[in-house]
Each structure stands twice: as C-alpha cells, then as structure tokens.
Amino acid sequence: MAATALVLAACAPSPSADIAQRRASFDEPLPPMRAFGTPRSSASVRTNTQLAGDFLDLTFMLESGRELPRLTRFEGEITVGLRGSADATLQRDLSRLLTRLQREAGIPIRSAREGEEPSIVVEVLPRKELQRAVPQAACFVVPRVSGWSEFRRQRRSETVDWTTLETRERASVFLPGDVSPQEARDCLHEEIAQALGPLNDLYRLPDSVFNDDNFHTVLTGFDMLMLRVYYDDALSNGMSKAEVAAALPGILARLNPGGQRSGPTPTPPTPRIWIEAIEDALGPRGNMVQRRVAAERAVDLARAAGWRDTRMAFSLYALGRLSLSREPELALAAFIEAAEIYRRLPDTQIQAAHVAMQLAAFSLSAGQTAATIGLVEESLPAVREAENAALLSTLMMMRAEALALQGRTAEARAERTEALGWARYGFGADDVVWARATEIAALAPGPSDR
C-alpha cells in the first residue's frame, strides 16, 4: 500500500455517513441472502505455555474480576433446545455450531429431541424485553435455569451466580430475535461457548471470541482448543486452579503438539485502568468529546506500558473511529499505526481487515481506486474465514464503487449484487441494507469532486 496514497486521502472528506451528501439511487430488488459454507478455522499460533496461561485466566475468573473457586462443566451428553421466534436461518446457524463443537472441540452435544428437557435452553426474545432485565446486554447466559420465566424469578438470587456452581447441569442463553442474522449467530457462538466453558473475556487474546474487542464473531481455532481442553478426561468438576494448572502441560502436549516449543513470555495482565478507559471510549455513556478523551487516555496508557500488541492497536483503532467526524487527519494516522501493528502480528488478520475497511473508506473518498481495491483484496480471505458478512459486504461495496469509478461497469454490478446478498445476512432488514449501500456509494466522489 502506498503511504502517499493514504496521506493524500487525509485531505478528502472524512468517511462518515454524517457528512455524506451524495446518495445513490437503488431501484433493483435485493438478491437472495448468502450463507457461509464449510467453516475454515485456523489453529492458534501461540505456544502451549501461553495457552495454559490463557486457559487459567479464562476459566478461573469472571469478566467482573471475581474469582471462580473451581472448574465446572457439564458431564455426559449435552442437549440444546431452541425456543421462541427462531427463524430458519438461526436454526441453521445453531445446527452448524453444534456440528463444529462435536468435530472441533470433541464435545458430546446435540439438539434436544421433542419433549426432551434441554441441558442448554436458547430462548429468542424481543431486544427491548431482554434489555429491560439486563440493560446494555446484547445477549447473555445464566446457569441453573431453563428459560426466561425461570430466570425472571431467580435473577436476584444465588441461583444464577456462577461462583456458587459445583457442576453444570442447566443453563439458558437469551438472545434478541429482532436483529440481523449475523448478530443473532454471533450471540449463539459466544454465549453457548460460555455456557459450556470459559466465562471470562481477555483483551490480550488476538484470535478469540473471548475478547471484548468483538473483532471475532464466530468461534475460532483457539476457542475450540480451549473447549477441547475444558472437556478433556484429565479434568473434572471441582478441580482447583492449582490442580488444573498441574494437568494442563500434559493435556496441551497431547492435544496441541505443535505448541510444544519455546516462544515469547506470556503477556502481562491488562491493568484495570486501561480497561476502564476503553470501556469509557466505546461504551454508551458520555458524549463524543468525553469518549474521544477516553480513547486518547487508552492510547497514552498503552504507550506508557510499552505495548506493541493487540491492546496498543485496539486503542488506536478506537481513537481513529472516534475522531473520524471532527479530526480525520488524526483518525487516519491512528488507523495507519494500528494497521502496522496488526499486520506485524501473526494472528490478527481479521483485526487488520477491520482497519483496512477504514483506510479503504479514506482512499475511496479521495478517488484512489487502485488503493481501495488493493486494501479490499488483501482483506477478503480473513473476512471470509471469520464469517463476518457485515464486513465482507461493506468491503465488497467499496470495491464495487472503485470498479465503477474505473469504468468497469459490469464487474462493479456483479460485485455489488454479491455484496448485497452478504449484507442481507450481515445487516438484516432491507432498509438497513439499502442504507449501508447508500452510505458506501456516497463515499465515492461524483464527477464534480474528481
């Protein structure tokens, strides 16, 4: 990618729907929704020493910072039942997930038969109803209850306290039904994984859904390995952290022989002050100025700590997003630095693709079609592997606009049609799909802008 192209793009209008004035005219019907085929997950590149530390931190702590005294898991066959207004797409996604858990994690899990009481209930609810009970939660999982009604009765009791568990026998996953198919699927993956195994999220993990940065939306090779370890015969309910730590080297040597090598020292814990800065920057509270200040604080803390890992890059990514509308030059600089970090690391291809989308918006706004196409084509393999249809469709729409600017009309039309098919899965409702397409079309300069 040419650095001069990116510098020139900084002079173009910020890639934000807030300032886009030109609107495309779309009058053709939407194509059929596209769907992903055979999953393609890559193995983790970290050493078994690193993986052991990750497993312990994921397993013996909650996201709140509370410690868990013992390992708990399901025993025997696990069944999953779907309740509520689940459409055919969600049912297909659940079936694909259960198949992956069987094959990749070795977990004896299947769909519950009619009349059978499931081990894990997946209940679909209106988003407003879900958030009345748990504000700001897109979806969540709780132990020891079988469905929404029981949860409502027990939600203020120790029944749904993970720290009091001795073993896992029942759990319920609650997710919204009035969201895009991709958002519902993402909830399925993370919440069923937590129902089965680790309950913590770690910002340092580059290749996992167990990370609040939300770059990964379906279970990765790392996640499947963590779940396979969780259900290994060498572990059992009630084991302490010390007992699990003693068993992990042998388990990982057997399950992940490629990780039996030396490597970098384990990443130090993430300080709470940085997590709070990131949460302030990306959370719902505070105005835009306050959130941007929080992102700047996260960048400063990461620099002071000497980080050159995903946490440094994510701080920059957050700052870039929050600076787009008012300080596009700062946003571009932050995205370029984040891209450099992500490209240097061995397991951050999907993160690099998210940043590339931001950079492609700048280059498209500047009419730099070759740079836009290059950024998109570099990113697509990782995006397809990660099964992120929203990002895939956005990148393809950008490439379609760049192709149209080059006069390659037929290619642009075919690209846009495929992109709209993915957008139906990634964004859901027709009006949301068309709004996204219109925003992307508005980035491309019109004849008077060239």
Side-chain angles (χ1 to χ4, degrees):
M1 180 193 325
T4 53
L6 295 175
V7 172
L8 286 170
C11 301
S14 169
S16 166
D18 295 336
I19 65 168
Q21 298 299 315
R22 189 172 69 88
R23 288 292 180 264
S25 174
F26 299 104
D27 54 10
E28 69 269 23
L30 284 172
M33 181 188 297
R34 286 187 171 257
F36 292 101
T38 303
R40 296 176 295 170
S41 59
S42 300
S44 176
V45 301
R46 292 198 293 291
T47 68
N48 284 346
T49 299
Q50 293 172 302
L51 292 170
D54 296 336
F55 184 87
L56 293 172
D57 288 346
L58 286 169
T59 301
F60 288 95
M61 185 136 343
L62 295 172
E63 291 181 57
S64 64
R66 296 174 66 198
E67 293 186 0
L68 290 164
R70 64 191 72 82
L71 181 141
T72 61
R73 68 184 189 186
F74 288 93
E75 296 293 347
E77 189 175 51
I78 304 163
T79 56
V80 180
L82 189 57
R83 297 179 184 171
S85 54
D87 62 19
T89 302
L90 183 62
Q91 294 174 33
R92 174 184 179 273
D93 284 337
L94 176 59
S95 178
R96 290 182 79 237
L97 173 58
L98 297 183
T99 299
R100 286 194 62 198
L101 289 167
Q102 294 163 3
R103 293 177 178 173
E104 298 179 45
I107 295 176
I109 190 169
R110 62 171 174 81
S111 294
R113 301 183 184 96
E114 187 174 352
E116 186 176 21
E117 184 65 27
S119 314
I120 300 173
V121 171
V122 178
E123 189 156 353
V124 181
L125 301 156
R127 178 162 44 185
K128 286 184 178 179
E129 183 176 356
L130 187 151
Q131 292 186 336
R132 272 199 299 267
V134 184
Q136 301 174 20
C139 45
F140 58 95
V141 58
V142 292
R144 292 196 183 110
V145 300
S146 295
W148 185 250
S149 297
E150 188 175 358
F151 165 68
R152 291 295 301 271
R153 293 194 302 271
Q154 302 288 348
R155 64 181 173 139
R156 303 190 192 281
S157 72
E158 286 193 354
T159 299
V160 294
D161 185 347
W162 290 99
T163 67
T164 65
L165 286 184
E166 300 284 343
T167 184
R168 302 190 195 186
E169 297 175 342
R170 293 184 299 158
S172 288
V173 168
F174 303 114
L175 56 89
D178 46 354
V179 296
S180 72
Q182 177 169 316
E183 188 173 342
R185 179 212 61 190
D186 297 351
C187 281
L188 274 181
H189 277 245
E190 182 167 7
E191 304 308 333
I192 287 182
Q194 291 196 318
L196 293 168
L199 295 164
N200 197 9
D201 281 337
L202 299 171
Y203 275 105
R204 72 168 188 263
L205 296 178
D207 58 346
S208 175
V209 301
F210 299 116
N211 187 328
D212 279 331
D213 64 14
N214 294 326
F215 281 122
H216 284 281
T217 56
V218 299
L219 292 173
T220 66
F222 168 90
D223 299 327
M224 290 297 183
L225 177 59
M226 292 292 102
L227 289 169
R228 185 175 283 275
V229 171
Y230 218 93
Y231 283 83
D232 190 86
D233 289 341
L235 301 182
S236 60
N237 271 302
M239 291 180 72
S240 68
K241 186 175 182 178
E243 290 171 327
V244 172
L248 283 176
I251 297 171
L252 286 165
R254 176 164 36 83
L255 297 182
N256 189 47
Q260 292 291 96
R261 64 185 192 280
S262 60
T265 57
T267 303
T270 304
R272 191 69 208 172
I273 188 173
W274 180 86
I275 294 174
E276 290 171 354
I278 283 291
E279 289 176 346
D280 288 344
L282 300 179
R285 294 182 297 273
N287 59 39
M288 187 59 71
V289 172
Q290 292 169 324
R291 294 172 63 193
R292 189 166 62 251
V293 168
E296 291 170 346
R297 185 165 69 251
V299 170
D300 291 341
L301 289 167
R303 291 200 197 283
W307 295 340
R308 295 299 292 171
D309 60 10
T310 56
R311 294 168 297 180
M312 179 75 249
F314 188 55
S315 302
L316 291 160
Y317 177 75
L319 178 59
R321 286 182 56 188
L322 291 167
S323 303
L324 277 170
S325 61
R326 290 180 178 267
E327 299 182 73
E329 292 84 2
L330 172 61
L332 180 60
F335 288 138
I336 291 173
E337 187 176 354
E340 290 171 350
I341 296 171
Y342 283 138
R343 286 196 177 105
R344 189 168 60 246
L345 298 172
D347 45 8
T348 52
Q349 291 87 356
I350 189 62
Q351 290 92 331
H354 276 272
V355 179
M357 184 268 287
Q358 300 288 348
L359 294 174
F362 275 102
S363 61
L364 181 59
S365 296
Q368 297 169 349
T369 57
T372 303
I373 293 170
L375 285 160
V376 171
E377 292 179 349
E378 175 187 21
S379 305
L380 289 184
V383 177
R384 291 184 186 277
E385 180 174 318
E387 298 192 5
N388 190 326
L391 180 57
L392 177 61
S393 64
T394 299
L395 287 166
M396 294 183 73
M397 288 178 195
M398 289 180 174
R399 183 162 63 177
E401 293 300 326
L403 290 169
L405 287 176
Q406 291 182 347
R408 298 157 67 179
T409 306
E411 292 174 75
R413 185 181 300 112
E415 185 84 356
R416 189 176 293 109
T417 298
E418 182 178 348
L420 290 171
W422 288 117
R424 295 193 70 180
Y425 184 86
F427 296 109
D430 289 4
D431 59 339
V432 180
V433 171
W434 286 127
R436 187 63 168 176
T438 300
E439 290 171 3
I440 300 303
L443 291 173
S448 62
D449 302 323
R450 297 175 197 169

